[in-house]
């Protein structure tokens, strides 16, 4: 129980911080970025270069802002766009270019991904020059109806209604799909933490269902240690259908620049400050009190839950593929 409570508090603090970064740097953010496909060299750009090139930042306002505001804007945008850009950067691993129909991607165990606006997910469609459909399933998702967005004459993106449940308990369970709900083109697991005690129990049946589907599965990890834990857990999951995490896990150039919550992390110490204070961006009194109370109440449980060192890497930093043998 305390693991679940700590995870919820951790998620709340991370979400609040992202909102504070967004509101404090709103003047630097562009609500109407480019709807054209970028040049082929976008993968070699830094986050700042990419965001300016694609029009996610207002050039004049960004240039006139303080270094701290610039950093906050880039970090917030990276926390939102890391999911579509990770998929775009490793699109070749999913072998989607050989498919004639618009790809359908199922994002299992979704959490933060569900908060990302569809216009930001649309960057994936623009980067790979393909119309596509997204499916989100995860027990912590909030309800969202089906939405769609036309980007230009040849590219669009749609999002199916959210499924607020575990994959194997939803109507997207690969073991139960029929003609009405066909299997997606590929599955994506963003930072699932398969090898951690808090997550392994809930993933067992879902991973077994994914193995039955025999579709490409892209998985991200915080670092090599996370990848090793996930790989070890997968090795012990089943002996009848061996599955492994690709040994060629690669560093992701578009990992989020906001690290996961930790009281010892210098980034959170700087932005959250001491209780009653706020460094880096302003917040109203009600939000300040709520955030400080949550952080203070999380002190014991979060420290027990968070076993990684204070300098642990950022979300989606390592990317690998799951392979059936």
């Amino acid at each position: 129980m305390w693991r679940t409570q700590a995870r919820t508090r951790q998620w709340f603090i991370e979400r609040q911080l992202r909102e504070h970064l967004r509101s404090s740097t709103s003047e630097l953010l562009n609500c109407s970025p480019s709807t054209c496909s970028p040049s082929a060299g976008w993968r070699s750009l830094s986050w700042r270069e990419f965001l300016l090139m694609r029009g996610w930042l207002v050039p004049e306002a960004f240039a006139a802002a303080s270094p701290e505001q610039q950093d906050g804007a880039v970090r917030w945008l990276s926390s939102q766009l890391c999911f579509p850009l990770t998929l775009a950067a490793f699109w070749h691993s999913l072998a989607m270019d050989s498919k004639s129909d618009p790809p359908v991607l199922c994002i299992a165990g979704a959490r933060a991904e569900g908060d990302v606006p569809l216009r930001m997910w649309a960057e994936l469609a623009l980067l790979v020059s393909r119309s596509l459909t997204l499916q989100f399933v995860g027990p912590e998702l909030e309800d969202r109806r089906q939405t769609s967005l036309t980007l230009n004459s040849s590219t669009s993106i749609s999002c199916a209604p959210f499924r607020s449940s575990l994959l194997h308990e939803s109507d997207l369970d690969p073991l139960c799909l029929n003609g009405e709900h066909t299997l997606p083109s590929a599955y994506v697991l963003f930072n699932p933490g398969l090898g951690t005690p808090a997550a392994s129990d809930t993933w067992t049946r879902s991973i077994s269902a994914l193995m039955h589907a025999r579709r490409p599965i892209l998985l991200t990890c915080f670092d090599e240690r996370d990848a090793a834990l996930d790989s070890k857990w997968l090795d012990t999951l089943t002996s009848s259908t061996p599955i492994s995490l690709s040994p060629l896990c690669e560093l992701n150039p578009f990992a989020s620049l906001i690290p996961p919550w930790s009281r010892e992390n210098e980034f959170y110490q700087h932005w959250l400050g001491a209780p009653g204070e706020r460094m880096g961006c302003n917040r109203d009194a009600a939000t300040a009190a709520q955030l400080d109370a949550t952080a203070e109440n999380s002190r014991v449980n979060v420290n027990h839950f968070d076993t990684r060192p204070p300098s642990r890497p950022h979300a989606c930093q390592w990317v690998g593929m799951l392979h059936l043998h």
Side-chain angles (χ1 to χ4, degrees), residues 85-272:
L85 263 65
T86 295
L87 288 176
F90 293 87
W91 190 251
H92 61 282
S93 300
L94 296 173
M96 293 292 105
D97 290 333
S98 61
K99 299 182 180 297
S100 57
D101 296 332
V104 177
L105 303 179
C106 179
I107 300 169
R111 296 181 66 202
E113 310 90 290
D115 288 338
V116 177
L118 186 61
R119 178 59 188 88
M120 289 183 154
W121 273 107
E123 195 73 351
L124 169 60
L126 292 169
L127 291 173
V128 301
S129 300
R130 294 289 301 272
S131 294
L132 51 89
T133 297
L134 302 175
Q135 299 172 338
F136 292 84
V137 56
E140 297 176 62
L141 289 175
E142 299 176 357
D143 290 339
R144 183 184 293 182
R145 297 179 180 178
Q146 181 166 344
T147 55
S148 61
L149 184 64
T150 299
L151 303 166
N152 53 49
S153 59
S154 61
T155 309
S156 64
I157 185 170
S158 63
C159 178
F162 282 7
R163 274 79 166 181
S164 183
S165 66
L166 298 172
L167 176 64
H168 64 268
E169 295 175 350
S170 74
D171 61 348
L172 296 180
D173 182 356
L175 295 174
C176 301
L177 290 182
N178 50 36
E180 182 179 355
H181 296 288
T182 58
L183 285 171
S185 309
Y187 292 90
V188 184
L189 281 59
F190 286 114
N191 313 309
L194 302 178
T196 61
S200 59
D201 291 342
T202 60
W203 273 109
T204 300
R205 289 179 58 189
S206 290
I207 292 295
S208 297
L210 290 180
M211 289 191 294
H212 174 82
R214 292 189 171 272
R215 288 290 196 269
I217 305 172
L218 185 141
L219 179 147
T220 70
C221 310
F222 286 109
D223 52 20
E224 289 179 286
R225 175 179 176 273
D226 267 353
L229 288 173
D230 289 352
S231 182
K232 182 178 180 180
W233 181 83
L234 290 166
D235 287 342
T236 60
L237 179 61
T238 177
S239 57
S240 58
T241 310
I243 186 171
S244 66
L245 183 61
S246 170
L248 301 177
C249 285
E250 301 179 45
L251 274 172
N252 180 12
F254 293 105
S256 170
L257 299 181
I258 296 183
W261 157 254
S262 168
R263 290 190 65 88
E264 294 83 8
N265 190 289
E266 293 181 0
F267 176 79
Y268 281 89
Q269 290 177 356
H270 174 73
W271 281 95
L272 296 179

